[in-house]
Amino acid sequence: MTAGEIKVQVPDIGAHGAIGNMRSIALVSTDGTIDYLCHPNLDSPAVFCGLLDPVRGGEFSIAPDGDVAWRARQLYIPDTNVLITRFMDGGSVLEITDFMPVMAKGGPQSAVMRRVACVTGKVDVVARCAPRFDYGRDGLPEITIERDAAMFVSSKSTPSSPLRLRTDVEFERGRGEVTAHFSLKEGERRSFLLECGKEQPSNDAELETLLGQAFDETIAYWQSWSAHSSYRGRWREHVMRSALVLKLLTSAEHGSIAAAATFGLPEKIGGARNWDYRFCWIRDAAFATFALMRLGYVGEAQRFNEWVSARADASEAGDFQILYRLDGSPEAPEITLDHLSGYRGSAPVRIGNAAASQLQLDIYGALFDSGYLADKYGEPVTYGAWKRMARTLNWVCQNWEQPDEGIWEIRGERRHFLSSRLMCWVALDRGLRLARKRSLPSEDAEAWRKNRDLIYRDIHENFWNDERGAFMQYKGGSRLDASALLMPLMRFIAPRDPRWLSTQAAIERELTSDVLVRRYETGEGDDNVDGLAGDEGAFTPCSFWLVECLARSGNVRRARLHFEKLVSYANEVGLFAEEIGPGGEQIGNIPQALTHLALISAAYTLDAMLDRKGAHGDAWRQF
């Protein structure tokens, strides 16, 4: 790629590794390009979003120069979020090491560090940095070059935070970009530091010295965190990569957990289901803390519960929004970025999320399940926290019979969804268990118990369809929904109950292709439950839920084969987006917390079942 050339071919969504430091996350493609970064925080406006528009979005690329056909590979330094991209042509090897530093106070906090090294041979290299502030809405930045740094400043009257690029090679200034051409021989390397120009966190130390210190501290941090995992099962590499993803999505400042790193990536190429997932969903974050607690990470759960407590203090009634900004503020206005073409033409590109105003009753079950387990494995619940929890349980008693938008946050009419009813039962059940376990004051326990039992009967009497032999998506409906897979996982129904086995078989027949599970059938007219046109890929979390259901119902060897097939869909460095397309491609926002936590849960359960049954304890049933 030559100076000034704009890369038009957008790489696959799955052709990316992710780096971050619990403040923000950047995506690095296998061609050495950072084509996605919101800066300085995960929910700040993007400064690079070439993944969503290669012309207007901006990027920071480093790659071999010229027309040689290079083979590219990516890997993580073990047990870290430090990424290596390797280029090989048969005679030379070039490595780019990318990371966002995790350092003690005084080091760069809002920074991306890139080190380019020639391993063997000789390589000509070209680097191009072309930020586009405010999702590309600010136009071309103004650039000044001083000594070893280029300063990028927004051209708008109310500018975004400036960016400062330090390097030990000479810049060439172009139109809204800087480029650098240099050659490396075996053993030589060059460094780049991109940081927030307003904060100016880096000192005047030699760049290579600064990057060396940041690299050592960052490696030490991630490997120390990984070493605390209690998981010793069969799939340690997949489980630890998923745990590291969940940690990346956790805000070091606030304790909230983002649903995914990105916005606007499509659930179907060319489709309109392009949402912003850079928010903390109560449900997804609560499930994430459960997965982390299973691995021995109770601190993250405690910090999230503190964040939730602050949201509860703001609600006199005891209810919650379904999602918040990472700092806990409730505003999430949804707008479209019409100047961006979208990933391979998938428009509109949205930021913000109108689902913030929806009613999703299932979040209370996830919240109370997480709270119950945090009390069990971490610090016992405090009196103040219990008072807030009791207030919420009373709210659930008064509202569980309402129709809502459900777990999939439909944009059609509200309905009485099975998943919402189920998780309201979970909330009341876990609240009662916690009160009994800790002998907590529970004057309203009889009302909680009464409503819990009413919900139980309601599900069995009004959501079960004798003709279909399965529990239906919503009351009075005739369609299946893969969220029913949560029923045995939440201990609502025995995993070998005839009604459950019949429902599981129906989901496998109608919503499953090999091992990939769709959320529900999209349709037209009255059958179009979600209110949106078009369809989508297989929903990866549901696919892992099915693995866990199979294992719990006794089909352990089949569950293991399902799991092995599913992890083969991960990208080269073990990351998952929210969905898998018809050709096995990653689609949707990436990396997604819900998928990675579902992987952890499935691996954990499958390990336990395999250990219990032994190598020959279960036939290849239903294979």
Side-chain angles (χ1 to χ4, degrees):
M1 187 168 64
T2 59
E5 180 182 350
I6 295 176
K7 173 170 57 65
V8 175
Q9 179 58 44
V10 178
D12 293 340
I13 291 172
H16 290 83
I19 60 172
N21 60 355
M22 291 84 71
R23 294 191 65 170
S24 191
I25 292 176
L27 298 186
V28 186
S29 73
T30 52
D31 66 4
T33 300
I34 295 177
D35 54 13
Y36 179 88
L37 171 66
C38 296
H39 194 270
N41 298 309
L42 182 65
D43 53 359
S44 298
V47 295
F48 301 127
C49 58
L51 187 58
L52 291 155
D53 190 316
V55 176
R56 301 175 185 85
E59 64 180 31
F60 183 5
S61 62
I62 302 175
D65 203 359
D67 298 326
V68 177
W70 293 82
R71 292 180 295 112
R73 296 289 186 272
Q74 285 188 327
L75 69 151
Y76 282 107
I77 293 179
D79 294 332
T80 76
N81 283 308
V82 177
L83 184 71
I84 297 176
T85 305
R86 294 166 59 86
F87 296 90
M88 296 162 279
D89 73 345
S92 302
V93 176
L94 183 75
E95 281 189 354
I96 304 172
T97 302
D98 287 304
F99 64 100
M100 297 181 73
V102 185
M103 299 180 69
K105 289 184 178 179
Q109 300 298 312
S110 301
V112 174
M113 295 186 169
R114 315 196 73 183
R115 178 180 280 167
V116 192
C118 182
V119 179
T120 59
K122 179 182 178 182
V123 185
D124 294 327
V125 183
V126 59
R128 173 177 177 265
C129 186
R132 299 293 181 260
F133 293 107
D134 194 21
Y135 306 102
R137 291 183 293 194
D138 283 8
L140 299 180
E142 298 174 355
I143 302 172
T144 57
I145 296 179
E146 47 190 40
R147 293 195 301 168
D148 65 344
M151 185 71 76
F152 300 89
V153 179
S154 169
S155 58
K156 297 291 186 180
S157 58
T158 54
S160 308
S161 297
L163 287 174
R164 180 174 178 235
L165 177 64
R166 291 184 61 187
T167 185
D168 48 12
V169 296
E170 186 176 347
F171 292 118
E172 299 173 18
R173 180 168 53 188
R175 189 168 178 267
E177 65 181 45
V178 296
T179 57
H181 293 262
F182 53 97
S183 296
L184 295 176
K185 294 183 296 185
E186 184 172 325
E188 292 182 335
R189 63 189 183 192
R190 295 290 182 266
S191 299
F192 296 83
L193 165 60
L194 184 70
E195 59 188 345
C196 182
K198 184 178 291 186
E199 294 179 5
Q200 294 187 339
S202 67
N203 53 38
D204 292 329
E206 182 184 12
L207 184 59
E208 186 60 29
T209 301
L210 181 63
L211 260 70
Q213 178 187 354
F215 178 82
D216 291 342
E217 289 193 35
T218 301
I219 292 289
Y221 174 85
W222 288 120
Q223 291 185 340
S224 174
W225 187 85
S226 296
H228 282 85
S229 171
S230 59
Y231 181 79
R232 299 292 182 269
R234 295 163 177 81
W235 297 282
R236 186 185 183 280
E237 184 176 352
H238 295 292
V239 168
M240 283 313 304
R241 179 50 50 201
S242 292
L244 284 161
V245 166
L246 296 182
K247 184 64 173 173
L248 266 188
L249 291 167
T250 301
S251 169
E253 182 177 2
H254 305 294
S256 52
I257 304 173
T262 55
F263 66 91
L265 293 177
E267 296 173 14
K268 179 183 179 181
I269 306 303
R273 299 167 187 259
N274 315 315
W275 314 111
D276 187 348
Y277 280 5
R278 299 169 300 155
F279 296 90
C280 181
W281 266 259
I282 294 291
R283 171 201 316 108
D284 299 44
F287 282 155
T289 62
F290 176 30
L292 290 169
M293 281 188 286
R294 276 183 155 171
L295 306 181
Y297 297 107
V298 297
E300 285 74 11
Q302 290 167 355
R303 285 214 64 203
F304 172 68
N305 287 338
E306 292 169 2
W307 181 89
V308 167
S309 294
R311 312 288 77 73
D313 287 340
S315 171
E316 294 183 3
D319 59 332
F320 292 86
Q321 268 190 197
I322 69 160
L323 64 88
Y324 297 85
R325 294 183 63 86
L326 300 183
D327 64 3
S329 58
E331 296 80 14
E334 182 175 299
I335 64 173
T336 61
L337 300 178
D338 294 328
H339 66 289
L340 296 179
S341 61
Y343 177 81
R344 296 184 179 175
S346 304
V349 175
R350 297 181 180 89
I351 56 172
N353 202 305
S357 63
Q358 290 186 350
L359 177 66
Q360 295 180 22
L361 294 168
D362 69 289
I363 66 171
Y364 299 98
L367 195 57
F368 272 85
D369 195 48
S370 172
Y372 176 77
L373 293 166
D375 174 89
K376 181 177 180 179
Y377 295 111
E379 293 292 326
V381 65
T382 65
Y383 176 59
W386 174 246
K387 286 199 300 182
R388 290 187 289 269
M389 294 173 81
R391 188 167 68 228
T392 298
L393 289 171
N394 289 332
W395 187 91
V396 171
C397 286
Q398 296 162 11
N399 290 277
W400 66 264
E401 291 184 277
Q402 288 195 64
D404 69 348
E405 280 86 3
I407 186 173
W408 308 131
E409 48 206 42
I410 63 160
R411 301 210 172 188
E413 66 176 278
R414 288 183 173 182
R415 300 175 189 260
H416 295 276
F417 284 104
L418 171 64
S419 58
S420 300
R421 203 59 48 95
L422 165 69
M423 297 305 284
C424 284
W425 178 90
V426 171
L428 295 170
D429 178 73
R430 302 310 190 262
L432 285 163
R433 288 172 183 259
L434 186 56
R436 182 171 63 250
K437 176 185 175 185
R438 295 293 182 196
S439 300
L440 296 165
S442 48
E443 297 86 350
D444 299 311
E446 185 55 38
W448 304 342
R449 187 176 296 106
K450 176 184 176 182
N451 281 277
R452 180 197 63 181
D453 295 346
L454 285 172
I455 295 172
Y456 187 89
R457 291 193 181 93
D458 183 49
I459 290 174
H460 276 283
E461 293 171 6
N462 296 313
F463 289 82
W464 174 258
N465 186 311
D466 276 324
E467 291 182 7
R468 300 293 310 281
F471 290 99
M472 295 293 100
Q473 181 183 43
Y474 58 90
K475 186 182 292 189
S478 59
R479 288 193 170 211
L480 295 169
D481 191 309
S483 64
L485 293 164
L486 290 170
M487 296 176 77
L489 307 189
M490 292 292 107
R491 305 186 189 280
F492 173 84
I493 193 169
R496 299 192 192 188
D497 185 297
R499 281 191 165 192
W500 172 248
L501 292 176
S502 180
T503 301
Q504 180 177 293
I507 289 172
E508 289 194 77
R509 284 193 311 272
E510 299 182 30
L511 295 180
T512 307
S513 176
D514 190 28
V515 299
L516 298 178
V517 182
R518 299 182 303 282
R519 296 187 297 176
Y520 49 84
E521 293 288 358
T522 55
E524 302 295 335
D526 293 339
D527 289 333
N528 188 1
V529 174
D530 64 11
L532 296 167
D535 52 13
E536 59 180 19
F539 198 65
T540 323
C542 295
S543 304
F544 283 110
W545 293 347
L546 178 58
V547 168
E548 194 166 351
C549 287
L550 287 168
R552 289 175 182 268
S553 65
N555 291 309
V556 180
R557 291 194 178 184
R558 186 158 169 256
R560 184 175 189 174
L561 180 59
H562 267 59
F563 186 88
E564 296 288 2
K565 285 186 174 184
L566 279 173
V567 295
S568 75
Y569 284 107
N571 77 357
E572 188 174 39
V573 291
L575 303 186
F576 279 97
E578 60 181 312
E579 297 188 2
I580 303 294
E585 68 276 14
Q586 302 278 341
I587 52 177
N589 288 303
I590 187 173
Q592 192 213 27
L594 196 59
T595 296
H596 284 281
L597 67 90
L599 183 155
I600 292 171
S601 184
Y604 187 94
T605 298
L606 193 51
D607 268 319
M609 299 299 292
L610 285 166
D611 291 343
R612 183 183 307 170
K613 286 184 172 292
H616 306 289
D618 143 56
W620 289 81
R621 285 180 285 169
Q622 301 180 27
F623 182 69

